[in-house]
Amino acid sequence: MEDRIVRWAAELQSMAQTGLYYCGDDFDRERYLRIREIAAEMAAERTGLPVEKVTGLFCGDVGYQTPKVDTRAAIFQDGKILLVQEKNGAWALPGGWCEYNLSPAENAVKEVKEEAGLDAAVRMLIAVQDRQKHNKPDYAYGVVKIFYLCEALGGSFVPNSETVGSGYFGEDGLPPLAAEKCTEEQIGMCFQASRAALWTARFD
């Protein structure tokens, strides 16, 4: 039931946000604002987060609602993949939310530099995925995940505000993953792409 309720809340929020953007009537605006508040209250009830925090994360956009974009970089060395360790101890592919003024590929390069301390270049698109179909827990907003095969050009890990370490891991020796960001299946897909003579990008 939890997934269904969160999804219903997300759908209500999306409808309310669109209505707020396009409506021209003050009474309709009041109704859409209340629908948006109810959606945030539903999400807060199910997640246990304060409603103020949910409202900030969930109801902060304006205009027609679209998914957020998350980019992930797959870098290989001697048959092993680069992962970065977050402050909670879990590991993930370098990546994060796409900045408004960067292309997805440029964002992937930026994230590698920030999280792993490496200069990198994007070599190939691996996949474009709907996060909802691959990662848990569900988010109260849509996310498009873009995976790139990248090449490290130089540099080394530098302590930063997001990650506490980095390392290369074999496919059969992965550390505990931050599965909300990248799963074992998604990392396996990156290994497949790195070994393929001719890779066709996957998409949902």
Side-chain angles (χ1 to χ4, degrees), residues 92-163:
L93 294 169
W97 298 127
C98 193
E99 299 289 345
Y100 77 96
N101 59 344
L102 297 177
S103 72
E106 290 169 340
N107 196 76
V109 169
K110 177 191 75 74
E111 291 290 338
V112 171
K113 184 65 173 179
E114 290 179 352
E115 296 187 352
L118 300 179
D119 297 312
V122 172
R123 299 304 185 203
M124 184 177 70
L125 174 66
I126 297 175
V128 179
Q129 294 184 338
D130 177 356
R131 184 192 178 280
Q132 192 88 332
K133 299 180 184 297
H134 300 274
N135 301 82
K136 296 294 180 184
D138 288 340
Y139 284 175
Y141 44 83
V143 178
V144 173
K145 296 181 69 68
I146 304 178
F147 294 83
Y148 291 105
L149 183 65
C150 298
E151 178 185 359
L153 303 177
S156 60
F157 180 79
V158 177
N160 61 84
S161 62
E162 297 184 70
T163 57

Side-chain angles (χ1 to χ4, degrees), residues 70 72 86 88 90-92 97 131-132 134-139 143 145 147 176-184 186:
D70 172 60
R72 296 287 152 180
E86 302 184 345
N88 64 2
W91 296 75
W97 298 127
R131 184 192 178 280
Q132 192 88 332
H134 300 274
N135 301 82
K136 296 294 180 184
D138 288 340
Y139 284 175
V143 178
K145 296 181 69 68
F147 294 83
L177 299 175
E180 73 279 7
K181 297 181 178 179
C182 58
T183 64
E184 188 172 337
Q186 288 167 327

Side-chain angles (χ1 to χ4, degrees), residues 50-116:
V51 69
E52 295 81 9
K53 183 175 179 64
V54 172
T55 300
L57 293 170
F58 193 38
C59 305
D61 290 339
V62 296
Y64 191 86
Q65 189 157 358
T66 59
K68 296 179 180 291
V69 176
D70 172 60
T71 63
R72 296 287 152 180
I75 295 175
F76 290 86
Q77 178 178 289
D78 299 325
K80 296 182 177 182
I81 195 167
L82 175 69
L83 300 177
V84 292
Q85 187 177 32
E86 302 184 345
K87 290 183 177 180
N88 64 2
W91 296 75
L93 294 169
W97 298 127
C98 193
E99 299 289 345
Y100 77 96
N101 59 344
L102 297 177
S103 72
E106 290 169 340
N107 196 76
V109 169
K110 177 191 75 74
E111 291 290 338
V112 171
K113 184 65 173 179
E114 290 179 352
E115 296 187 352

